[in-house]
Amino acid sequence: MTDAPIAAATAQILNAERNPAQKPVVKTFFDEATFTASHVVHDPETKAAAVVDSVLDYDAASGRTCYDSAQKIVEYVRAEGLKVEWQLETHAHADHLSAAPWLQEQIGGKLGIGADIIRVQEVFGKIFNAGTRFARDGSQFDHLFRDGDQFQIGNLKATALHVPGHTPADMAFVIGDAAFIGDTLFMPDYGTARADFPGGDARMLFRSIRRLLTLPEQTRLFLCHDYKAPGRTEFAWETTVGAERAHNVHVHDGVAEEDFVSMRTKRDSTLSLPNLIMPSVQINMRGGHMPEPEENGVSYIKIPVNKL
Ligand SMILES: [Fe+2]
C-alpha cells in the first residue's frame, strides 16, 4: 500500500534538492528555561515565513508571563523583512506556553495545529473541568491540519503529516527539504519523546517515527527540544533522517516495535511531569490564550489535586 502523504513529501524534498529556491532558510531560537527550539522558516525568494512552536516565558512562582523569548523572534522577522503567513504548532505542548496569539498581534500569521487537537481538548477539558464555555472543536485555531494536507509558504511547497504518539494530535510539517517534527525524535544521542501523557501511546509513537524515517535520508529534521545527551556540551536541534536511522539510541534501524514499546514505557514510568504542565496544557489547549478572566478581571490557572 502506498503512503500518499509520504510520497508527496518525498517528491517535495527531492525537488527541493534539485532546486535551491525550494530550500527554506531556517533560524532557530532556543529557550534554555524549557529546552524548547522555536524555528522561523522562510522562503528566500518571497520572504514568506512561518514560525514553528514559539515560547511565551512564564514564571511559575509568580504566575507572570513575559515576552522576552518571543520578542527575539519579532526582531528577527522585522530585521529580515519577513512576511509571516503561519504560526504553526506541532502539538499542544505540556512543557511551555505558546506565544502564538501575541506573535499574531505583532507579526501576523494564521495559527495552525493538527485536527486531532479536539481529542486533546476533550481529554484535558475534562481533567481541568474547563466548563461548557471551553469549546472543544478546535475553533481557537485558524486552521486544523490533516495528514497529507498540502500548503504553501510563499513559493515553498509544504506537506503536513500526522505523527501521533507523544500526543494524539502531533503533526510534522515538511517545508521544502526541511521537516519540523515536533516531539517525535530527539537528537540521535538522546532518543525519542515520552509517550505517557494522557492520550499518548508508545506503539503509535514508534509507528509515526518509522514513517518519518521513510523520508529521504538527506531530509533536514528540526526538533522541538534538546536536553544535551550525557557527554555533549552544546544544545542541538538539527539532524537528518540518515543520522537518526543510523544512530538514534532508541529507534535506529533494526530496533523492533516491541522492544521500543517496552523501553519507552519503562523509561516513561521514571520521568516526573514537566514543571510547567499545568499552565502549559490549560493555555495551549486554548490556542495560547489564557483561561477566560473571572469577574474580577483576572485569569486563573487550575491545579487538579491527585489527578495527574
Ligand atoms: Fe511536547
Side-chain angles (χ1 to χ4, degrees):
M1 206 174 65
T2 46
D3 182 333
I6 287 287
T10 298
Q12 175 195 307
I13 290 161
L14 296 176
N15 177 49
E17 254 145 44
R18 289 188 298 268
N19 177 5
Q22 281 291 317
K23 279 198 173 206
V25 176
V26 181
K27 167 83 175 167
T28 298
F29 297 83
F30 193 79
D31 174 43
E32 291 200 21
T34 63
F35 306 102
T36 302
S38 304
H39 309 286
V40 181
V41 46
H42 81 262
D43 170 11
E45 277 187 349
T46 64
K47 300 267 183 185
V51 177
V52 184
D53 292 330
S54 61
V55 172
L56 175 67
D57 304 311
Y58 180 79
D59 180 64
S62 62
R64 283 204 167 268
T65 58
C66 96
Y67 303 103
D68 290 353
S69 293
Q71 183 64 39
K72 288 183 194 142
I73 290 178
V74 171
E75 281 161 19
Y76 170 75
V77 161
R78 290 190 178 142
E80 296 291 317
L82 306 183
K83 291 170 283 194
V84 177
E85 297 184 351
W86 288 99
Q87 301 282 343
L88 298 174
E89 299 286 345
T90 55
H91 61 293
H93 308 276
D95 54 9
H96 68 272
L97 282 61
S98 166
W102 185 77
L103 283 173
Q104 284 183 297
E105 283 171 24
Q106 308 297 314
I107 52 178
K110 283 177 289 189
L111 177 56
I113 200 164
D116 278 4
I117 186 66
I118 59 175
R119 294 181 49 203
V120 175
Q121 291 178 324
E122 272 302 330
V123 171
F124 284 105
K126 246 181 226 144
I127 290 174
F128 288 103
N129 197 24
T132 48
R133 296 186 68 181
F134 170 54
R136 293 153 209 217
D137 57 2
S139 55
Q140 300 86 346
F141 299 85
D142 300 313
H143 186 82
L144 300 181
F145 286 98
R146 293 180 186 283
D147 191 48
D149 279 356
Q150 306 273 309
F151 60 113
Q152 297 255 139
I153 296 170
N155 296 334
L156 295 176
K157 293 198 176 11
T159 305
L161 298 172
H162 183 213
V163 289
H166 172 65
T167 79
D170 278 58
M171 299 300 289
F173 298 105
V174 187
I175 301 168
D177 68 323
F180 299 84
I181 61 172
D183 288 5
T184 51
L185 292 154
F186 293 138
M187 289 301 282
D189 59 3
Y190 196 83
T192 55
R194 67 195 296 175
D196 61 332
F197 295 148
D201 184 319
R203 188 172 303 278
M204 214 183 262
L205 178 63
F206 180 84
R207 292 179 183 179
S208 292
I209 287 172
R210 290 315 309 182
R211 187 172 177 234
L212 281 174
L213 293 180
T214 64
L215 292 171
E217 294 216 333
Q218 58 280 23
T219 307
R220 291 187 284 164
L221 300 181
F222 290 89
L223 318 178
C224 185
H225 294 292
D226 185 55
Y227 306 94
K228 276 187 198 163
R232 178 148 57 81
T233 54
E234 300 288 322
F235 288 110
W237 45 76
E238 180 179 352
T239 180
T240 64
V241 166
E244 296 281 20
R245 288 184 57 177
H247 305 298
N248 188 289
V249 292
H250 294 167
V251 281
H252 58 80
D253 285 356
V255 173
E257 181 169 310
E258 292 309 324
D259 293 338
F260 174 82
V261 170
S262 90
M263 177 284 302
R264 190 66 264 174
T265 310
K266 217 174 281 163
R267 185 175 155 89
D268 286 349
S269 69
T270 69
L271 301 174
S272 46
L273 287 176
N275 290 337
L276 296 184
I277 188 169
M278 299 295 180
S280 298
V281 171
Q282 289 174 81
I283 283 152
N284 295 339
M285 74 182 186
R286 294 176 164 90
H289 293 280
M290 297 295 150
E292 205 168 312
E294 299 193 4
E295 62 284 359
N296 61 358
V298 179
S299 287
Y300 289 84
I301 289 165
K302 291 183 181 176
I303 297 177
V305 177
N306 294 331
K307 181 84 179 154
L308 284 180

